[in-house]
Amino acid sequence: MLILGIETSCDETAASVVKNGREILSNVVSSSLKYHKKFGGVIPEIATRHHVENIDKVVNCSLYNAGVGTGDIDSVAVTEGPGLVGALVCGNSFAKAMAYSLDVPLVTVDHLKAHVYSAMMRKDAPRFPFIGLVVSGGHTRLYLVKGYDKFIVLGDTLDDAIGEAYDKVAKILGLEYPGGPIIDRIAKKGSRSIRFTCRPIKGSLDFSFSGVKTAVLYHVKGEGCPSTSLGTGRVKGEISNIAASFQESALKVIVNNTLKAMEQHNLKTLVIGGGVSANSRFREMLAREAMFRGLKIFFPPLELCSDNAAMVAGLAYRLQGEGKC
Ligand code: KG4
Ligand code: ZN
């Protein structure tokens, strides 16, 4: 069965053709990222215009790359949310019109569940139940996952999501948007010695990262470290230390909450998705825990960590199989 997936929840216009929920025949992503850079964050109006202007080209390109025509498509899948409202309206209108004109079913997919599914698109896919973790620009969320559409939220974002915290800390340090990949890179050269407090929420698996972001801001102000330039070698070193220390504090809370959730539910399998799941230090920390505790951890391949439509088409196949459309 061939499913055409469409994703337009934020700044990526994406389309993908996936066979039987796992075999990715095409995966096209057109990002409006470069138009947002100078604002230091995603501007919804710009993202929506990019979707409107590019969605037909992206869909055509994904069909072409897959070597199929519209007549070969069995279903159309689309991200229903969460996301920017104008951006979602564009993708959903396009997908609905396409499904109607081709006379095939339309499957709507939750963006966060699709992120978890991105780590399941492999032969040795994890078995239910497991703990699911989404670490993205908009969410930090822990799930107990019992089936393709049986997700129970165990812990959630209370203020800034982890990706948002990375992006805001990068801005404080005078780095480009999105800051996550840059912090990941420069942190490798830094020391983790600065103590930025990032406390877990007592008696809960929820997440709060606004405090650690503010701690970085005060540290930078207090140190008189210039916030607009990487400047001299000395300052460059300081920025790497701040980046390494910030991510260590924030990621530790995510790792600890996740381990707690696994213990509470007596589960040894963890499935992770979202932009921050590409982070090299995060992968290192979790690999270490997996080794000591005998856990099985499933990450998406790097090209499926950030927003894409392959995960949408893939999950849609499973939902259709369960009669959820
Ligand atoms: O999942 P995603 O593409 O979009 C949302 O659904 O939000 O996540 C984007 C977020 C951004 O905040 C970006 O800075 C972060 O993922 N990110 C990273 C890395 N790559 C992307 N954060 C830390 N380390 C990375 N390597
Ligand atoms: Zn996402």
Side-chain angles (χ1 to χ4, degrees):
M1 176 181 269
L2 291 184
I3 300 191
L4 169 70
I6 295 176
E7 153 66 40
T8 62
S9 66
C10 192
D11 56 338
E12 272 91 21
T13 316
S16 165
V17 178
V18 175
K19 188 175 176 186
N20 297 337
R22 204 177 62 205
E23 197 184 327
I24 301 172
L25 303 187
S26 65
N27 185 20
V28 179
V29 181
S30 166
S31 178
S32 54
L33 185 68
K34 65 177 176 198
Y35 306 111
H36 304 288
K37 268 188 196 280
K38 67 175 170 192
F39 302 103
V42 174
I43 307 297
E45 173 66 15
I46 294 176
T48 303
R49 277 177 188 271
H50 185 85
H51 293 313
V52 172
E53 286 164 11
N54 291 285
I55 192 160
D56 55 336
K57 299 177 197 83
V58 169
V59 167
N60 276 333
C61 185
S62 79
L63 292 169
Y64 179 82
N65 287 359
V68 301
T70 47
D72 300 313
I73 296 299
D74 296 299
S75 304
V76 177
V78 65
T79 302
E80 65 177 345
L84 305 172
V85 68
L88 289 167
V89 166
C90 174
N92 278 263
S93 310
F94 193 94
K96 251 186 214 174
M98 199 158 170
Y100 184 73
S101 69
L102 297 177
D103 196 21
V104 297
L106 174 76
V107 190
T108 55
V109 172
D110 179 279
H111 183 74
L112 301 183
K113 293 175 186 170
H115 267 309
V116 172
Y117 186 75
S118 68
M120 300 176 74
M121 300 180 78
R122 46 194 278 173
K123 263 196 188 132
D124 58 338
R127 286 164 190 256
F128 300 114
F130 55 74
I131 295 296
L133 171 67
V134 177
V135 279
S136 71
H139 296 84
T140 323
R141 184 176 288 179
L142 271 168
Y143 292 107
L144 168 61
V145 186
K146 294 183 170 181
Y148 293 113
D149 203 30
K150 292 195 185 94
F151 282 60
I152 298 156
V153 177
L154 301 176
D156 211 352
T157 319
L158 292 186
D159 38 52
D160 293 342
I162 182 64
E164 197 178 353
Y166 265 96
D167 295 339
K168 287 180 176 170
V169 164
K171 198 170 181 181
I172 293 169
L173 296 177
L175 305 172
E176 269 199 353
Y177 174 83
I182 306 174
I183 291 189
D184 186 359
R185 182 163 43 78
I186 65 173
K188 287 182 187 149
K189 296 176 224 134
S191 116
R192 303 171 199 135
S193 53
I194 310 165
R195 299 225 170 275
F196 292 124
T197 311
C198 185
R199 288 202 184 87
I201 316 281
K202 250 194 176 168
S204 144
L205 295 174
D206 289 337
F207 301 94
S208 166
F209 297 111
S210 65
V212 67
K213 170 199 70 188
T214 310
V216 172
L217 178 68
Y218 286 158
H219 178 86
V220 169
K221 277 190 172 169
E223 299 285 295
C225 179
S227 65
T228 50
S229 150
L230 281 175
T232 65
R234 192 178 70 83
V235 173
K236 209 173 189 171
E238 279 167 16
I239 288 181
S240 301
N241 296 346
I242 296 169
S245 303
F246 150 73
Q247 76 166 7
E248 198 67 11
S249 319
L251 294 177
K252 245 185 210 161
V253 172
I254 302 181
V255 171
N256 289 342
N257 275 12
T258 304
L259 294 175
K260 245 188 244 169
M262 297 182 81
E263 266 169 33
Q264 282 172 8
H265 293 273
N266 201 18
L267 291 171
K268 294 266 182 198
T269 307
L270 173 64
V271 181
I272 308 180
V276 182
S277 67
N279 184 274
S280 54
R281 178 64 187 148
F282 189 43
R283 288 185 176 225
E284 204 174 274
M285 287 163 95
L286 283 166
R288 208 179 129 87
E289 294 299 337
M291 202 172 70
F292 284 128
R293 296 166 189 255
L295 310 176
K296 268 189 165 176
I297 305 188
F298 293 80
F299 283 99
L302 288 180
E303 67 276 13
L304 296 186
C305 287
S306 46
D307 290 348
N308 66 84
M311 64 186 190
V312 175
L315 181 55
Y317 173 79
R318 307 295 171 189
L319 297 177
Q320 258 191 319
E322 292 187 352
K324 293 265 165 36
C325 70

